[in-house]
Amino acid sequence: MARTKAQLPAGARLADYLTVGYLALRCPLGKVREILSQQGVESQRRRGLPHEVLVYFVLAMVLYANVAYEDVLQLVLEGLRPLLGDAKLTQNTVSKGAISQARARVGVGPLQSLYQEQVRPHGPAGMAGVWYQGLRLMAIDGSTLDMPDEAANAEYFGYPASARGSTAFPRLRFVAMAECGTHTLCYAQPGPYHSSERELARSVLAHADATMLITADRGFYSYDLWQEAQATGAKLLFRLSRSLRLPREEELPDGSYLSTVYSNAEDRKHRRNGIQVRVI
């Protein structure tokens, strides 16, 4: 979906070019080209709009959400010129149509791969909220995002219901694992609006490991999901619904107690396949 014409406030500033340079520092040009090659969408020729430039353009669009495509592209080209080593790139005039066509050729695969490789928990030891008792604090949560009102988005993501039919824009639902100290959203899994957050959380929790303490709200708990999350080695701290049966089996000195959760009533009756939990 093309944007309305807007310009950078007071023109591009040195800080804007430095922002593009920082993107290239955090997401190196060599890594971008490697991913494009792995996906089979590397640029076959250097004329026009190289695909590695397009990747940084998509990243920059997030930072300059209210600026027209052409202005964002020129900013990216200027910022990358020292790395690209091709001054002629900044002299090209690229239309919105050409940008859209190039994005279609590249597709979503390279950006997904870059996100999974580059966006990881990174908070250092000693930073507030990052570590507790030697474990990295992470939180599972979900949210939604409005998508451009286009046929493909409407068909895949769907619309939320409202009192007068449906909303104006298709909406994406996602679940991610957030690093509590830095608020970095890692391992995000998107899906249609009517997706279950619990189901989306399965692929997110697959990235957990024994260095983490993972918190989640009560909507994420299920016996199966808890079992899968435990298998990663991570420590878990979930809120639970009051309707879940948690009999006091062993009192602990701090006021918490041990209990056992089961997959179903039949397993509970025969006390089989239970998972011991500590209730706080």
Side-chain angles (χ1 to χ4, degrees):
M1 182 177 70
R3 304 182 183 196
T4 55
K5 187 68 175 178
Q7 294 181 335
L8 289 168
R13 303 157 296 177
L14 176 60
D16 297 317
Y17 298 129
L18 291 176
T19 296
V20 176
Y22 183 74
L23 285 176
L25 177 65
R26 301 299 300 175
C27 189
L29 183 60
K31 171 58 70 174
V32 173
R33 287 173 171 165
E34 177 186 335
I35 293 292
L36 289 170
S37 178
Q38 291 173 358
Q39 299 278 333
V41 291
E42 67 271 35
S43 292
Q44 299 300 318
R45 57 181 183 172
R46 306 309 302 168
R47 297 171 59 188
L49 183 59
H51 290 174
E52 56 266 38
V53 172
L54 189 68
V55 170
Y56 291 109
F57 165 73
V58 174
L59 298 178
M61 283 198 304
V62 179
L63 301 176
Y64 297 93
N66 298 319
V67 178
Y69 281 177
E70 300 96 319
D71 290 340
V72 177
L73 179 59
Q74 288 303 314
L75 173 63
V76 170
L77 289 169
E78 285 286 355
L80 292 179
R81 181 168 56 175
L83 295 176
L84 293 169
D86 190 345
K88 294 181 180 179
L89 284 173
T90 59
Q91 300 171 9
N92 293 340
T93 299
V94 183
S95 67
K96 289 180 181 178
I99 295 172
S100 296
Q101 291 173 10
R103 291 178 66 188
R105 288 194 298 270
V106 172
V108 70
L111 291 163
Q112 286 180 326
S113 296
L114 283 169
Y115 169 75
Q116 292 293 346
E117 287 195 21
Q118 298 293 118
V119 183
R120 300 292 183 95
H122 59 92
M127 182 177 180
V130 174
W131 297 88
Y132 176 74
Q133 297 294 316
L135 296 170
R136 188 182 296 274
L137 292 175
M138 306 292 291
I140 293 283
D141 207 352
S143 188
T144 61
L145 295 170
D146 286 339
M147 302 297 291
D149 190 14
E150 299 175 349
N153 287 336
E155 180 179 357
Y156 181 76
F157 294 109
Y159 295 87
S162 70
R164 298 184 179 181
S166 61
T167 57
F169 296 97
R171 191 167 294 174
L172 170 154
R173 185 179 300 280
F174 73 92
V175 172
M177 192 187 304
E179 186 179 37
C180 295
T182 63
H183 298 180
T184 302
L185 297 181
C186 309
Y187 319 119
Q189 179 62 41
Y193 176 74
H194 296 291
S195 301
S196 162
E197 286 192 345
R198 193 178 296 168
E199 287 303 312
L200 293 175
R202 289 181 182 276
S203 61
V204 177
L205 281 169
H207 295 278
D209 59 47
T211 67
M212 298 177 179
L213 170 60
I214 300 175
T215 66
D217 212 341
R218 61 185 181 181
F220 287 98
Y221 172 79
S222 73
Y223 176 90
D224 291 339
L225 189 65
W226 183 273
Q227 191 176 48
E228 291 175 21
Q230 270 197 325
T232 67
K235 300 296 187 293
L236 309 176
L237 180 60
F238 283 30
R239 291 184 63 192
L240 298 177
S241 169
R242 290 181 179 274
S243 62
L244 188 67
R245 292 179 59 185
L246 294 168
R248 292 176 178 267
E249 296 174 352
E250 181 182 344
E251 296 280 353
L252 298 176
D254 62 0
S256 62
Y257 63 92
L258 300 182
S259 187
T260 305
V261 293
Y262 297 91
S263 176
N264 53 59
E266 191 68 15
D267 280 356
R268 179 181 294 279
K269 178 180 178 181
H270 296 286
R271 296 186 180 278
R272 65 191 180 197
N273 302 321
I275 301 175
Q276 189 176 67
V277 297
R278 178 185 175 192
V279 184
I280 300 175

